[in-house]
Amino acid sequence: MKIELDMSRLGESRWYEYLVRFVFGGCVTALAGLIAKRYGPTVGGLFLAFPAIFPATATLIEKHEKDKKTRNGMDGTERARIAVGLDAVGATLGAIALTVFALIVWRELPHASLAIVLPGAMVAWTVTAALGWMLWEFLRNQGRTRRKHASQRVAKSSVNESSVNKSSINARPSINRRMQ
Amino acid sequence: MKELVIRVVAGGVVVSVFALLGDILKPKTFAGLFGAAPSVALATLILTVTKDGKEYASLEARSMIVGAVAFFLYAGIVSQLLLRRRWPILPITGLLMILWFGFAFGACYAVLGWGG
């Protein structure tokens, strides 16, 4: 599947939706700092991988998908659920990359400059996320092709069976005639 | 107070940028990657290194690994429940946050201990 930029989606969001995500992201960052201050870096560090904007984004995707379908006089609940489900698949792959990011920062930060470690970890996140996504797409396409071939085989065999049945049905009268 | 405001603004900006990328990219699965971008981590780590030093930030990153594994489980279960079981969106994404907290804190206590 091709990766595309769809700038028209910017127009779908209202200003307060951007504000909600800004405030939510800001609050989680501030909370991570406060928790680290109160309980130490071990507990505070957990919040660096908190699913900060995932539920907010899921709600927005649901709203946009439902709005689109409602405009066409349809119910968008099913479409919204699939869209959020697919978004969550992406987040699952992104979380694997997030683990790689954290691993690099943990191992390398005490020995190297932040100006080197952070961009390096960010590149590692991008590469891991992209490779993970490509692998997932490849496996999904393989599965689709396998299912398609399997259904074609089933369809072919059922056609053959029905033609055999038809010929046996057609043969029956002649057999019956011969028997008479 | 000043530090808190800086954290809110820095976190808000970085999170918004990644959210925006997720909005404009297609397909949905690729856009979803940005839902698990290290947005909070980027904003926090820069401020932490400046204030508390690299060793302290490194300890935070070590716990972040546990948090990221919890995120992986959270997002994985959410996707399965939505795509296969067809459960409703808001209760699933909201209630499963308990799973993130449970796993993150449980694994953190078991593997790292509270004191680190």
Side-chain angles (χ1 to χ4, degrees):
Chain A
M1 198 177 274
K2 225 170 90 181
I3 299 160
E4 288 172 54
L5 270 177
D6 185 5
M7 301 305 267
S8 69
R9 291 201 184 174
L10 291 176
E12 288 176 8
S13 298
R14 303 280 177 89
W15 65 269
Y16 59 82
E17 293 174 352
Y18 293 114
L19 185 71
V20 165
R21 289 193 282 198
F22 178 88
V23 171
F24 213 66
C27 286
V28 172
T29 310
L31 193 74
L34 288 174
I35 290 170
K37 209 173 189 176
R38 176 79 176 81
Y39 299 101
T42 306
V43 178
L46 291 173
F47 288 87
L48 303 192
F50 183 72
I53 53 162
F54 186 81
T57 307
T59 314
L60 290 182
I61 293 172
E62 181 185 21
K63 186 179 169 290
H64 290 166
E65 294 297 332
K66 276 186 175 172
D67 284 352
K68 263 189 220 167
K69 284 283 171 187
T70 310
R71 275 199 295 270
N72 297 326
M74 288 182 266
D75 177 34
T77 311
E78 182 71 4
R79 190 187 161 97
R81 196 180 46 69
I82 292 168
V84 176
L86 291 174
D87 191 70
V89 169
T92 312
L93 299 169
I96 298 170
L98 198 63
T99 314
V100 174
F101 175 94
L103 201 70
I104 289 171
V105 175
W106 170 47
R107 299 297 295 177
E108 298 305 321
L109 196 57
H111 318 293
S113 155
L114 181 74
I116 295 167
V117 175
L118 222 50
M122 199 54 225
V123 169
W125 179 85
T126 311
V127 171
T128 313
L131 286 176
W133 182 78
M134 287 195 293
L135 181 69
W136 185 81
E137 272 290 312
F138 173 76
L139 293 173
R140 197 167 75 138
N141 286 337
Q142 290 279 309
R144 266 188 198 153
T145 315
R146 226 178 292 131
R147 276 195 299 276
K148 198 176 163 188
H149 286 314
S151 63
Q152 277 172 350
R153 270 200 301 274
V154 170
K156 265 185 193 171
S157 63
S158 64
V159 166
N160 287 342
E161 268 174 33
S162 65
S163 63
V164 166
N165 289 342
K166 270 181 194 168
S167 59
S168 61
I169 289 164
N170 291 338
R172 241 174 247 149
S174 61
I175 293 167
N176 289 344
R177 268 197 299 272
R178 256 184 276 153
M179 284 178 77
Q180 281 167 1
Chain B
M1 188 63 193
K2 190 184 165 191
E3 191 204 328
L4 202 68
V5 173
I6 293 171
R7 276 182 189 275
V8 170
V9 173
V13 168
V14 182
V15 165
S16 297
V17 167
F18 280 110
L20 213 64
L21 274 171
D23 276 354
I24 59 173
L25 281 163
K26 266 167 53 171
K28 272 272 178 287
T29 45
F30 189 78
L33 292 174
F34 294 90
S39 41
V40 176
L42 280 175
T44 305
L45 286 169
I46 294 168
L47 295 168
T48 306
V49 169
T50 315
K51 194 171 169 276
D52 301 301
K54 292 196 289 186
E55 289 287 340
Y56 190 94
S58 168
L59 282 175
E60 284 195 336
R62 189 182 61 167
S63 296
M64 189 188 162
I65 299 170
V66 178
V69 174
F71 196 154
F72 171 80
L73 289 174
Y74 167 79
I77 293 172
V78 165
S79 70
Q80 291 304 303
L81 290 178
L82 291 177
L83 294 173
R84 290 183 197 273
R85 302 274 176 187
R86 301 177 175 206
W87 286 14
I89 298 168
L90 199 60
I92 291 300
T93 51
L95 281 175
L96 278 178
M97 277 292 182
I98 297 166
L99 176 87
W100 184 89
F101 277 100
F103 182 87
F105 280 91
C108 182
Y109 182 71
V111 180
L112 307 172
W114 292 132

